[in-house]
Amino acid sequence: MKEKIADIRGQIEADAGQLNSPEAVEAFRIRYLGKKGAVTLLFKELGSVDKADRPEVGKLINELRALTTEKMNGAAAQAGPIRSKDWIDLTLNGRRPAIGRKHPLTIVAEEFRQIFARLGFSVAEGPEVESDYLNFEALNIPKLHPARDMQDTLYISDELVLRTHTSPVQIRTMMTGNPPFRVIAPGRVYRRDTLDASHSPCFHQVEGLCVDKGVSLGDLKAVLSTFSKQMFGANTKVRFRPSFFPFTEPSAEMDIWWESSKGGRWLELLGCGMVNPRVLEGVDVDPAVYSGYAFGLGIDRMAMLKFGIDDIRTLFENDMRFLEQF
Ligand code: DAH
């Protein structure tokens, strides 16, 4: 019996040197202290030991159990707890979730919205599939009128088009409310253009409309030059050139002075004018009482100017290397 105890002791000491994982510690516990463990079995055999030797042998086994427990606890403290399959190590550095960015068009559209919110404009919307009537006729562009040539149109049917501009939202706004009106209408527009660095069959515009008693060309100039300075910098210079749009009279184009490495030049930024009395009559707003101005411009163009983007296609390709720069 004493020999057996010495044998097991030797095994325990050898095994205890290998307890380098929580699983090994657990196997060690089972091997020696489990229900059928070697040390546990020694206690069972104690009954068959001679009465005279029992105290001494009992003491040896007790010492062996203490040794085993001590080795096991020491190793367990080193190896840590057993990790289950879905174990989570809370001490590891977190993995940063990939946070998206705003698209340059969204950045510019939001800034536009904020500037015009401060000027008292709210936001209006209209559908991208629009009636021929609202896209053209209500804006004083009758069928076969040469002004339709200014906008190559994608027709859905004889009466439905993909809107070529956001101007129909002017009409929708005036048809469904009463003056005064002060709205901007951002959104997608479509034209039958071939995709290249400066053309896209789908692009973005914002429309502006202000109709009230006593609104003048002076108001138009004040609001649009204020906007330009807030959007492009306090020193931005603007100029207005006479132009033609069927839905405004008089009409103008506004340019901003743009400095680049190639030098400075005037860049066309937007179309504008005083709302044509014929348009007001068409939506039952009395032009003898009310007057207003309207304007429209490309969001893509604004974004390209502001961020120095030289190819409109990059705005639609969703290339992460491009988008990560904003
Ligand atoms: N709708 C015109 C276009 O797409 C832009 C425009 C010009 C809008 C003058 C206006 C405006 O409201 O007054 O070419």
Side-chain angles (χ1 to χ4, degrees), residues 150-151 164-167 170 191 203 205-208 245 247-248 251-252 270-274 293-297:
M150 288 164 75
Q151 302 178 357
T164 56
H165 52 181
T166 43
S167 302
Q170 287 187 35
R191 295 201 193 165
F203 57 105
Q205 284 189 337
V206 205
E207 195 75 15
F245 299 101
F247 36 91
T248 45
S251 302
L270 56 81
C272 58
M274 300 306 291
Y293 59 83
F295 55 90
L297 70 165

Side-chain angles (χ1 to χ4, degrees), residues 30-52:
I30 293 168
R31 192 173 323 127
Y32 296 106
L33 301 175
K35 261 197 191 141
K36 292 178 184 163
V39 178
T40 313
L41 293 179
L42 285 176
F43 280 110
K44 291 191 175 150
E45 284 174 44
L46 191 58
S48 52
V49 171
D50 275 352
K51 256 207 173 136

